[in-house]
Amino acid sequence: MTHLHTHFSTRLNLLLANNQQHLLCGGLKGIEKESLRIANNGFIAQTPHPVALGSALTHPYITTDYSEALLEFITPPFTDIKETLSFLDHIHRFVYAHLDQEMLLGASMPCGINGDESIPIAEYGTSNIGRMKHVYRHGLWHRYGRTMQAIAGIHFNYSVPEALWPVLQRQENPQVSLEQFKADAYFGLIRNFQRVGWLILYLFGASPAICKNFFKSRPALMTQFDEFDPGTLYHPYATSLRMSDIGYKSKNQADLKIDYNSLEGYVSSLGAAIATPYPEYEKIGTFANGHYLQLNSNILQIENEFYSTIRPKQIINSGEKPTLALKRRGVRYIEIRSLDLDLFNPLGIDEGKARFIEALLLTCLLKDSPATSPQEHQINNSNQLAVAHYGRKPGLELQKGEQKIPLRDWAAEILEDMQPVCEILDQDNADKPYDAALQQQWKTVQNPDLTASARILDTMADQHKPFARIALDISAEHGHYFKEQPLDDDNTEQFYKMAKVSLAKQKEIESKDELPFDEFLRQYFAQG
């Protein structure tokens, strides 16, 4: 491909003019997938994290999120998404061999809740870092309730091919350091994704319905929804209620002004939120009856509490603050956080979806990305909420700049912009998998009935079953799928070794702790 795309960006056209477009290929892709363990009675498992899986504190690939029952699987990053998904598949098969009578819930919105207290908070042992992780989760409980923390999702991690950066820097801004150029470009990608990220909810949202028991601790929220049946609430045109205002939203976070116009601004504004007291959380207190209730009473306890659809990330050293890692070593990769679990896929994500997301992210990197104003930030959030609640509604319009535009028209523009990127990513593959992924989503834009959210509601209606029953039935099918083809001996042995090493590493950390926990926390927050 040598022709220029006049409607597209200078960045892509320069690569094409110099025959360097192949440098867009081979970015690293990793996946983090959360799934609730469900007991054979259909309720959230009350058992501890299975010892055979290793230490949730130190295992590199199998851990827990908020709840002791909320497993999190983490793949290494691979250039070939097939390898990423294969590793995720191996984790599933190993885990299923050690779940006894339990299964993994294949839906994002939790089922089997019997009140807030039925969701056990994750335990990480007696070390200072383990205690900190547990106390942080206690703080989330007191601030937001436990139910919200049982929501599961998929995080898609992506890093731009390293060989691309010096070429772009020489073309565009050789005066700045390579690290600064990379940071600026990654934040440009992030801003563009925030503008068009609603498309992920429309195409891949899979949480249009919610069990009524999800609202047991927040009954007032139930009035916002229609009743599907005695046990289920929903919106007829919803795509991803997980990403709506009933999910990880709160008044204090809604008022945060996190700066995405530069790495420096991002680190500074996020750091300020972690250091600023919040009256409602001060009322909770930090310590009572010999126990920590939360890490602090500030707007955010730590960086991870800030819920965003996309994050800049850097690999952190043990005990290092994430913002400090970014400040010291720049952006290593980005994390997309708006993906629901695909209930119709045993892994929760498939190859075509992953390829589409990679192409979308590169499109966001290549397009011009002006700074975001507070007003535009509000518009981006409003568009996301509109699609989360009403994304499949015929004629739905979104706000694009100064004008309203039909969702379908804007989606078509985005997909058209992705076409040349998919052509480049497909250049060495006769099967054209990126173009195939794009064509599939063209069909989904034209026909909302093809979305996972529509298919879930259709399945509920066809089978006359509540959301919980459908979710549990399909999850059980996934369990049979993994159990029928156990992991091979070599890979099983590798996971056993990793589990053993992780347990030993946790013991080592616990034996070496010398600082009192209070002092450990003081030193942690004093970093930088």
Side-chain angles (χ1 to χ4, degrees):
M1 180 202 301
T2 56
H3 59 288
L4 301 187
H5 296 267
T6 54
H7 71 287
F8 206 56
S9 70
T10 305
R11 185 169 278 175
L12 176 59
N13 284 335
L14 284 169
L15 288 173
L16 290 165
N18 293 298
N19 202 30
Q20 292 173 311
Q21 65 270 19
H22 64 278
L23 295 174
L24 293 172
C25 303
L28 291 171
K29 280 82 69 175
I31 290 172
E32 302 169 36
K33 184 217 180 184
E34 302 154 353
S35 283
L36 272 173
R37 285 189 291 117
I38 300 293
N40 59 9
N41 63 0
F43 286 89
I44 293 173
Q46 301 299 303
T47 50
H49 186 66
V51 175
L53 303 184
S55 164
L57 178 69
T58 56
H59 198 296
Y61 307 125
I62 303 172
T63 183
T64 52
D65 199 286
Y66 171 81
S67 174
E68 186 77 354
L70 187 58
L71 286 171
E72 182 173 6
F73 303 155
I74 304 166
T75 76
F78 296 96
T79 56
D80 186 347
I81 190 61
K82 288 183 177 179
E83 292 187 58
T84 311
L85 294 173
S86 176
F87 196 97
L88 185 61
D89 179 84
H90 289 171
I91 298 176
H92 279 78
R93 294 186 194 281
F94 178 77
V95 167
Y96 255 108
H98 299 92
L99 282 189
D100 198 16
Q101 298 299 308
E102 297 171 358
M103 68 178 176
L104 301 178
L105 185 65
S108 279
M109 297 309 293
C111 305
I113 299 172
N114 188 19
D116 237 26
E117 300 288 339
S118 71
I119 302 169
I121 299 175
E123 302 280 354
Y124 298 96
T126 60
S127 67
N128 282 329
I129 192 70
R131 287 185 65 192
M132 180 179 173
K133 289 169 74 75
H134 181 74
V135 170
Y136 163 61
R137 285 155 174 77
H138 256 272
L140 296 177
W141 167 31
H142 291 302
R143 293 171 177 219
Y144 313 107
R146 297 191 192 187
T147 306
M148 192 177 73
Q149 316 302 324
I151 298 171
I154 283 183
H155 299 166
F156 185 90
N157 299 326
Y158 178 74
S159 61
V160 173
E162 284 301 315
L164 179 65
W165 291 121
V167 171
L168 291 180
Q169 181 208 22
R170 284 194 299 271
Q171 286 180 173
E172 298 175 32
N173 200 352
Q175 292 81 22
V176 304
S177 69
L178 184 60
E179 183 177 294
Q180 184 65 52
F181 181 85
K182 285 171 64 175
D184 291 344
Y186 266 125
F187 272 87
L189 185 166
I190 288 169
R191 291 192 298 276
N192 276 337
F193 183 83
Q194 290 172 330
R195 293 173 174 119
V196 301
W198 55 262
L199 182 61
I200 297 291
L201 277 58
Y202 171 81
L203 294 175
F204 306 132
S207 51
I210 309 175
C211 298
K212 280 187 180 178
N213 60 15
F214 177 82
F215 297 101
K216 199 167 184 180
S217 60
R218 298 182 292 170
L221 292 176
M222 295 173 68
T223 59
Q224 300 177 20
F225 298 91
D226 297 338
E227 184 177 279
F228 183 88
D229 59 39
T232 310
L233 298 175
Y234 80 123
H235 279 326
Y237 300 110
T239 62
S240 178
L241 295 177
R242 164 181 167 265
M243 294 301 297
S244 74
D245 41 5
I246 61 126
Y248 289 84
K249 302 287 182 181
S250 62
K251 183 179 181 299
N252 69 320
Q253 291 211 17
D255 294 338
L256 282 176
K257 302 292 188 291
I258 301 301
D259 182 359
Y260 287 97
N261 292 327
S262 68
L263 172 60
E264 297 74 20
Y266 177 81
V267 168
S268 174
S269 56
L270 199 50
I274 296 167
T276 302
Y278 190 66
E280 285 186 31
Y281 300 157
E282 288 181 316
K283 291 176 186 175
I284 296 169
T286 304
F287 196 84
N289 302 320
H291 297 285
Y292 275 87
L293 303 177
Q294 52 185 344
L295 292 174
N296 53 54
S297 55
N298 299 335
I299 296 174
L300 302 174
Q301 297 173 89
I302 56 175
E303 293 90 335
N304 286 355
E305 188 173 340
F306 176 58
Y307 196 84
S308 55
T309 58
I310 182 170
R311 283 179 180 167
K313 298 289 290 251
Q314 174 57 258
I315 296 170
I316 61 172
N317 299 321
S318 180
E320 184 181 34
K321 290 168 67 176
T323 46
L324 194 56
L326 283 168
K327 189 175 179 180
R328 288 169 171 166
R329 299 185 295 282
V331 182
R332 178 75 170 264
Y333 63 98
I334 48 170
E335 177 188 56
I336 308 303
R337 301 167 54 80
S338 50
L339 274 170
D340 287 352
L341 301 187
D342 181 353
L343 181 59
F344 300 104
N345 185 290
L347 293 179
I349 183 172
D350 61 34
E351 185 183 324
K353 185 184 299 186
R355 291 188 189 278
F356 179 89
I357 294 168
E358 179 183 3
L360 177 62
L361 293 174
L362 280 172
T363 304
C364 289
L365 174 75
L366 293 169
K367 286 183 73 71
D368 295 337
S369 184
T372 303
S373 67
Q375 293 77 14
E376 187 185 13
H377 182 69
Q378 259 185 335
I379 289 171
N380 294 339
N381 284 344
S382 295
N383 285 339
Q384 177 177 298
L385 279 177
V387 176
H389 283 288
Y390 313 109
R392 289 178 290 105
K393 186 175 183 179
L396 178 68
E397 292 186 326
L398 303 177
Q399 187 75 32
K400 185 184 181 189
E402 299 296 317
Q403 62 181 12
K404 291 276 191 179
I405 180 172
L407 178 150
R408 187 176 293 189
D409 292 353
W410 193 356
E413 289 179 16
I414 298 167
L415 298 189
E416 187 178 343
D417 283 345
M418 291 172 61
Q419 186 69 54
V421 174
C422 289
E423 290 177 24
I424 292 167
L425 295 174
D426 274 337
Q427 60 185 2
D428 295 325
N429 193 326
D431 293 332
K432 307 297 182 189
Y434 287 93
D435 184 66
L438 183 64
Q439 296 311 316
Q440 179 58 46
Q441 300 319 319
W442 270 109
K443 294 175 185 174
T444 309
V445 166
Q446 297 303 317
N447 183 3
D449 290 343
L450 296 176
T451 60
S453 54
R455 289 172 63 202
I456 287 171
L457 293 180
D458 288 345
T459 303
M460 290 162 56
D462 291 345
Q463 297 187 19
H464 304 288
K465 291 179 180 177
F467 168 67
R469 188 69 266 159
I470 293 294
L472 291 172
D473 287 350
I474 296 177
S475 300
E477 291 174 12
H478 295 339
H480 292 311
Y481 167 77
F482 290 119
K483 288 177 178 178
E484 284 173 1
Q485 299 180 41
L487 190 60
D488 64 87
D489 291 345
D490 287 346
N491 278 300
T492 297
E493 184 59 29
Q494 288 299 314
F495 276 106
Y496 275 133
K497 285 180 180 177
M498 284 188 277
K500 187 176 180 181
V501 169
S502 71
L503 291 166
K505 190 173 181 182
Q506 178 178 329
K507 284 187 178 180
E508 182 185 7
I509 293 170
E510 290 171 348
S511 68
K512 288 185 175 180
D513 267 354
E514 294 179 353
L515 281 178
F517 185 57
D518 295 7
E519 178 60 19
F520 171 83
L521 286 184
R522 190 196 69 75
Q523 291 187 18
Y524 178 86
F525 287 112
Q527 289 180 78

